[in-house]
Amino acid sequence: MSTYTIQEQFNQYLDLLNKIHNLGHDIDASIDETEITDLETKRYTCKQRLQMVTKSLVNSIKDMDSKYPIHNYLGNQTTYIYVEDNKLVFEYH
């Protein structure tokens, strides 16, 4: 069981997804081979960490045995995350 709350784990999950996405754009915009290799290494490290965070988040939600609400204040809607077949599932309301 993680020492982080589900909300903290979900925030880490979103942060890592964003970093991986941005590093992909940086790789596409790079022309220097050394810089590309460095960015690819950073992206790989983030992907590895994302796998660990996702596994921890899945286990925490499975332990809770219910859907976890995430409220989006900008969109004024609630997204529920839960686990199905050991994968995160997002349900929008």
Side-chain angles (χ1 to χ4, degrees):
M1 178 104 177
S2 176
T3 58
Y4 294 103
T5 66
I6 291 175
Q7 184 66 53
E8 290 169 330
Q9 291 175 72
F10 187 70
N11 290 347
Q12 289 176 357
Y13 174 83
L14 290 178
D15 182 54
L16 286 166
L17 282 177
N18 188 47
K19 283 180 183 176
I20 291 166
H21 177 78
N22 289 338
L23 285 167
H25 283 299
D26 291 346
I27 289 168
D28 291 341
S30 296
I31 55 172
D32 182 285
E33 192 63 36
T34 303
E35 183 180 5
I36 291 171
T37 302
D38 182 48
L39 290 170
E40 287 175 335
T41 301
K42 286 179 185 177
R43 184 173 61 175
Y44 176 78
T45 301
C46 284
K47 283 183 176 184
Q48 293 294 89
R49 187 162 172 240
L50 177 65
Q51 287 179 347
M52 291 181 350
V53 168
T54 302
K55 184 178 178 181
S56 176
L57 181 58
V58 164
N59 288 334
S60 293
I61 293 173
K62 280 171 56 176
D63 289 345
M64 190 178 75
D65 199 30
S66 66
K67 296 179 181 178
Y68 185 82
I70 303 287
H71 189 71
N72 177 344
Y73 293 98
L74 291 175
N76 197 25
Q77 69 178 11
T78 300
T79 299
Y80 293 89
I81 56 175
Y82 59 98
V83 174
E84 193 172 277
D85 297 326
N86 284 325
K87 295 182 181 175
L88 285 179
V89 179
F90 300 86
E91 183 178 290
Y92 304 97
H93 287 277

